[in-house]
Amino acid sequence: MAIEAQAQKLDQRQRRERMDSILAARYYRIPYDTNYVVRPEGTLTLKVRLNQTGNDFHAKGTVNDIYSKADLSTSHKTTVSIGASYRGISASLSLNPAKMSGAYKDYELNLNYYSSRISLDFSYQRSETLAGDIDRGDQLQSMESGDLTLKVINLAGYYAFNHRRFSFPAAFNHSYIQRRSAGSWLAGISYQGGTIETTEVLKTRKPNAPDISIDIGHIGIGGGYGHNWVLGKKWLLHFSILPTAVVYNRNNFTVNGERKRGKRMRFNMIFNERAAIVYNFSPRYFASATMVMNNSVFDDNIVVVNQNKWRARASFGVRL
């Protein structure tokens, strides 16, 4: 039995060593110009992050011969997260103090992927804190938290043409270090989709309130530019913008069962912006602040739905 147990331990250790060898080969593969971009020292990175997100919606359209306008926003969500990255494989755990106390019931999932060539930002949000005003002709309806349910997906994907010298990961997940300033033209795609609907809570609170549903669906394709500025040996500044032209639009505005549809094909825009500041105290310790925004700009004489979503993040990390 002792010999069998030792054999199992040896086999497990060999599998771990083999996996670590595969990860190391992938991590240190050099698809970049080391005069501009390098891997940091150490294989394990630990980070503490403070995150805040928000989302605003503006919709308007003429339904039942009545001009309707909605200006709505979710409450800001603040979370604290602890993350770890080993040879480029990352995981994190987020805590929301307001949610733990029962004061915040919204749900949000954020997934980010950053590599030399391709970067993706994905988010799914389900919120019941959407509040604001809905103006229907001469009637103003004040919407409170719980009156509306929001379900929305945002996706932005980038391809960096100058990926050998320009690094998104250096600014956002710190798995690379930008040594010299460089920029890159970008190609990308954007998607915004979801629904906003009135709830039974509103019908109970205001029996005469209208039954409202707003459907969102935008797909955009475009190109932009990003730049990393290296200042001295410790500072990195990043800014990028990706405007995309909407090639498909699925905007619907429904009031009491009467639906108005926006034009499927109409020239409109979705803008994706990113900004970051990274300060390296030493090769081991660093701090950063980042901002990611998605803004839709629509002009339609039937139905207009604009969304402005943002996420701000402050991080402190150590490399081991």
Side-chain angles (χ1 to χ4, degrees):
M1 294 295 293
I3 295 175
E4 183 179 350
Q6 290 178 355
Q8 289 177 349
K9 290 181 180 179
L10 179 61
D11 184 55
Q12 292 174 357
R13 186 177 65 185
Q14 289 176 341
R15 283 201 298 266
R16 287 195 300 266
E17 291 175 350
R18 190 180 306 114
M19 180 60 68
D20 190 65
S21 177
I22 293 172
L23 291 175
R26 174 183 174 274
Y27 185 71
Y28 289 111
R29 191 174 54 218
I30 306 179
Y32 44 84
D33 185 340
T34 55
N35 290 317
Y36 286 81
V37 180
V38 295
R39 284 290 194 182
E41 297 179 7
T43 57
L44 177 65
T45 301
L46 303 177
K47 286 186 283 189
V48 178
R49 299 185 298 205
L50 178 65
N51 315 283
Q52 190 170 71
T53 62
N55 207 346
D56 300 326
F57 285 89
H58 306 281
K60 59 184 179 180
T62 300
V63 184
N64 293 328
D65 296 324
I66 299 176
Y67 176 77
S68 300
K69 179 182 178 183
D71 296 300
L72 308 166
S73 61
T74 63
S75 64
H76 295 169
K77 185 184 84 167
T78 301
T79 61
V80 178
S81 63
I82 301 173
S85 177
Y86 179 74
R87 297 196 190 279
I89 306 298
S90 302
S92 65
L93 174 66
S94 297
L95 300 175
N96 186 338
K99 192 175 185 68
M100 294 173 67
S101 66
Y104 186 92
K105 297 182 180 180
D106 290 2
Y107 171 81
E108 185 168 345
L109 172 66
N110 288 283
L111 297 175
N112 313 108
Y113 172 79
Y114 301 112
S115 71
S116 300
R117 298 171 185 261
I118 297 174
S119 297
L120 297 172
D121 283 320
F122 171 86
S123 69
Y124 170 76
Q125 183 180 16
R126 185 185 187 282
S127 173
E128 294 185 0
T129 63
L130 199 64
D133 296 323
I134 296 180
D135 187 356
R136 297 190 66 239
D138 58 353
Q139 297 181 358
L140 182 65
Q141 297 281 344
S142 295
M143 296 293 171
E144 301 177 0
S145 178
D147 290 344
L148 298 165
T149 298
L150 164 71
K151 299 177 182 178
V152 66
I153 290 174
N154 285 273
L155 173 67
Y158 299 71
Y159 179 87
F161 290 98
N162 190 23
H163 53 82
R164 287 181 54 81
R165 295 184 175 183
F166 168 79
S167 175
F168 265 121
F172 290 94
N173 71 357
H174 317 108
S175 59
Y176 290 88
I177 294 177
Q178 187 86 39
R179 300 181 65 184
R180 294 182 181 179
S181 300
S184 177
W185 293 104
L186 309 170
I189 185 170
S190 303
Y191 174 75
Q192 296 180 342
T195 60
I196 300 174
E197 297 178 333
T198 51
T199 65
E200 293 297 328
V201 173
L202 175 62
K203 296 176 183 179
T204 302
R205 191 170 66 85
K206 293 182 178 181
N208 296 324
D211 186 9
I212 294 175
S213 175
I214 301 172
D215 295 313
I216 309 158
H218 315 139
I219 299 175
I221 298 174
Y225 184 79
H227 201 93
N228 285 343
W229 289 273
V230 177
L231 306 178
K233 295 183 178 181
K234 294 188 175 182
W235 289 96
L236 171 65
L237 304 182
H238 169 92
F239 180 76
S240 60
I241 183 168
L242 179 71
T244 59
V246 173
V247 296
Y248 178 77
N249 170 32
R250 183 184 56 81
N251 284 343
N252 301 322
F253 199 158
T254 305
V255 180
N256 294 330
E258 179 70 20
R259 173 173 293 185
K260 289 294 182 180
R261 293 181 172 87
K263 296 179 180 178
R264 294 289 188 242
M265 302 297 294
R266 188 175 179 86
F267 181 75
N268 288 298
M269 300 294 293
I270 300 175
F271 292 89
N272 302 281
E273 306 100 354
R274 297 182 186 181
I277 301 175
V278 181
Y279 181 75
N280 293 288
F281 298 96
S282 68
R284 175 170 291 187
Y285 298 99
F286 64 90
S288 69
T290 64
M291 172 71 79
V292 176
M293 299 183 67
N294 308 101
N295 313 107
S296 57
V297 179
F298 282 83
D299 182 16
D300 191 313
N301 56 6
I302 300 176
V303 175
V304 174
V305 182
N306 296 329
Q307 179 188 195
N308 303 291
K309 190 177 189 306
W310 57 270
R311 184 190 73 228
R313 174 175 288 169
S315 305
F316 176 81
V318 57
R319 300 182 177 102
L320 304 174

